[in-house]
């Protein structure tokens, strides 16, 4: 996208579209932050999370003009010896600042590194909620909504059905979902692409995730500590509201001193994809590939997408 941005940087349509996209991305981030804040506030009220949290400070890295490799190397240098002994590295930042790309590069550079996603824990908890609803519906002979499963007592019980440890067949770490009462005994690693992606989970996860932020954060915090204590490098990407509760001194916020650049990247990606699709459909393109001028012209034409 950098080459496209350079080619279009003086184009008025490109700049207008970039500013609009940057604003839209910031708005979505703010809306997500508000939703997360409500979930954290509810968890504190339930005493699932501490009210007096003081997270370790974040170090800001302005990624403007830096390659993912440069950003990753700066983090590795700051982490120091802990990169060899085990630690949790937290990455925050607005959408478009390159968190995912940086995490991917860190995973390449640190042989003992692994990423962590909270999604499978939310899905595991949702599975238990759905199974409880099915059982209660049979007992009461009436439909039972997922909302009815989300009582403090039930959530406390469901969380006790989740455990993290060296459960995998090869001796590796995994999350176990175990409830004799609900007929579940699975390892997340074995069912993350099957059972946990099924309809009973997929249709209910938004409701469950909205109300179980605290429970999942508390579980994840303990799991990550186990991994770090075992010498693993855990790469955790997320919003500050949630990752604040994961104890680690290695916290980084990626920033962009040019806020519109996020919008430029988004516009460049969309326009390039549209241009590529149109150029690929032309007859004889394999024998006569388009010139740089023709590609630029198609990308400029694709900017009309943002006027529709």
């Amino acid at each position: 996208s950098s080459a496209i941005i350079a080619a279009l940087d003086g184009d008025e349509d490109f700049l207008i579209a970039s500013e609009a996209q940057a604003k839209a991305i910031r708005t979505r981030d703010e809306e997500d932050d508000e939703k997360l804040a409500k979930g954290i506030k509810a968890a504190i009220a339930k005493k699932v999370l501490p009210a007096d949290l003081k997270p370790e400070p974040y170090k800001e890295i302005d990624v403007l003009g830096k390659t993912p490799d440069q950003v990753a190397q700066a983090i590795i240098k700051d982490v120091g010896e802990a990169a060899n002994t085990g630690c949790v590295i937290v990455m925050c930042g607005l959408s478009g600042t390159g968190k995912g790309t940086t995490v991917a590069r860190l995973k390449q550079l640190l042989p003992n590194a692994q990423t962590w996603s909270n999604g499978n824990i939310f899905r595991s908890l949702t599975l238990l909620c759905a199974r409880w609803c099915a059982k209660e519906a049979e007992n009461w002979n009436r439909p039972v909504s997922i909302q009815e499963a989300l009582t403090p007592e039930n959530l406390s019980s469901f969380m006790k059905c989740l455990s993290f440890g060296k459960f995998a067949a090869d001796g590796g770490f995994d999350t176990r979902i175990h409830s004799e009462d609900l007929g579940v005994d699975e390892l997340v690693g074995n069912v993350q692409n099957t059972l946990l992606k099924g309809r009973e989970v997929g249709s209910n996860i938004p409701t469950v995730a909205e109300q179980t932020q605290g429970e999942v954060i508390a579980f994840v915090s303990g799991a990550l500590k186990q991994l770090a204590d075992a010498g693993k490098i855990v790469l955790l990407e997320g919003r500050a509201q949630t990752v604040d509760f994961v104890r680690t001194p290695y916290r980084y916020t990626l920033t962009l001193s040019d806020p519109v650049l996020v919008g430029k990247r988004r516009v460049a990606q969309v326009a390039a994809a549209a241009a590529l699709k149109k150029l690929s459909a032309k007859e004889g393109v394999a024998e006569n590939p388009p010139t740089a001028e023709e590609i630029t012209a198609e990308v400029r034409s694709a900017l009309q997408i943002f006027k529709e």
Side-chain angles (χ1 to χ4, degrees), residues 41-83:
K41 186 176 181 180
I44 291 173
K46 291 188 294 184
K47 300 188 184 321
V48 175
L49 294 176
D52 57 349
L53 175 74
K54 291 184 178 179
E56 297 86 345
Y58 287 82
K59 295 181 180 178
E60 289 193 358
I61 300 177
D62 186 354
V63 300
L64 184 65
K66 295 184 178 72
T67 66
D69 190 71
Q70 289 172 325
V71 176
Q73 291 290 358
I75 291 171
I76 291 172
K77 181 179 180 181
D78 186 71
V79 170
E81 182 58 27

Side-chain angles (χ1 to χ4, degrees), residues 6 26 32 63 70 78 94 99 114 124-125 137 151 168 175-177 234 258 261 296 298:
R26 288 195 300 271
D32 289 344
V63 300
Q70 289 172 325
D78 186 71
L94 297 177
K99 300 184 299 295
Q114 64 183 74
S124 300
L125 188 52
T151 65
T175 299
R176 184 186 184 193
I177 317 166
V234 187
D258 176 8
L261 183 57
T296 302
E298 285 294 349

Side-chain angles (χ1 to χ4, degrees), residues 85-88 112 114-116 164 172-174 220 222-234:
T85 58
C87 67
V88 178
N112 204 27
Q114 64 183 74
T115 55
W116 176 277
F164 186 79
F173 285 95
D174 205 341
V220 168
L224 298 189
K225 186 177 186 304
Q226 284 192 61
L227 288 169
D229 288 347
K232 305 291 185 181
I233 308 299
V234 187

Side-chain angles (χ1 to χ4, degrees), residues 250-281:
Y250 308 110
R251 302 177 180 275
Y252 306 92
T253 300
L254 304 189
T255 64
L256 266 172
S257 50
D258 176 8
V260 180
L261 183 57
V262 172
K264 290 180 179 178
R265 287 176 175 172
R266 176 59 180 162
V267 172
Q269 290 165 356
V270 173
L276 178 62
K277 183 178 181 180
K278 189 172 181 180
L279 289 167
S280 299

Side-chain angles (χ1 to χ4, degrees), residues 106-183:
L106 283 169
K107 191 175 180 181
Q108 292 173 338
L109 293 170
L110 299 170
N112 204 27
Q114 64 183 74
T115 55
W116 176 277
S117 170
N118 292 347
N120 281 334
I121 309 304
F122 281 115
R123 289 182 176 276
S124 300
L125 188 52
T126 301
L127 175 67
L128 293 167
C129 289
R131 291 291 174 88
W132 181 89
C133 288
K135 182 178 180 181
E136 293 304 301
E138 186 176 342
N139 291 339
W140 299 344
N141 196 30
R142 68 166 178 83
V144 177
S145 71
I146 201 73
Q147 192 67 46
E148 293 178 75
L150 298 173
T151 65
E153 295 78 14
N154 277 353
L155 289 179
S156 177
S157 175
F158 297 154
M159 291 309 299
K160 291 175 183 175
C161 298
L162 301 180
S163 53
F164 186 79
K166 291 186 175 182
F167 300 123
D170 62 359
F173 285 95
D174 205 341
T175 299
R176 184 186 184 193
I177 317 166
H178 179 233
S179 171
E180 292 184 8
D181 190 45
L182 298 177

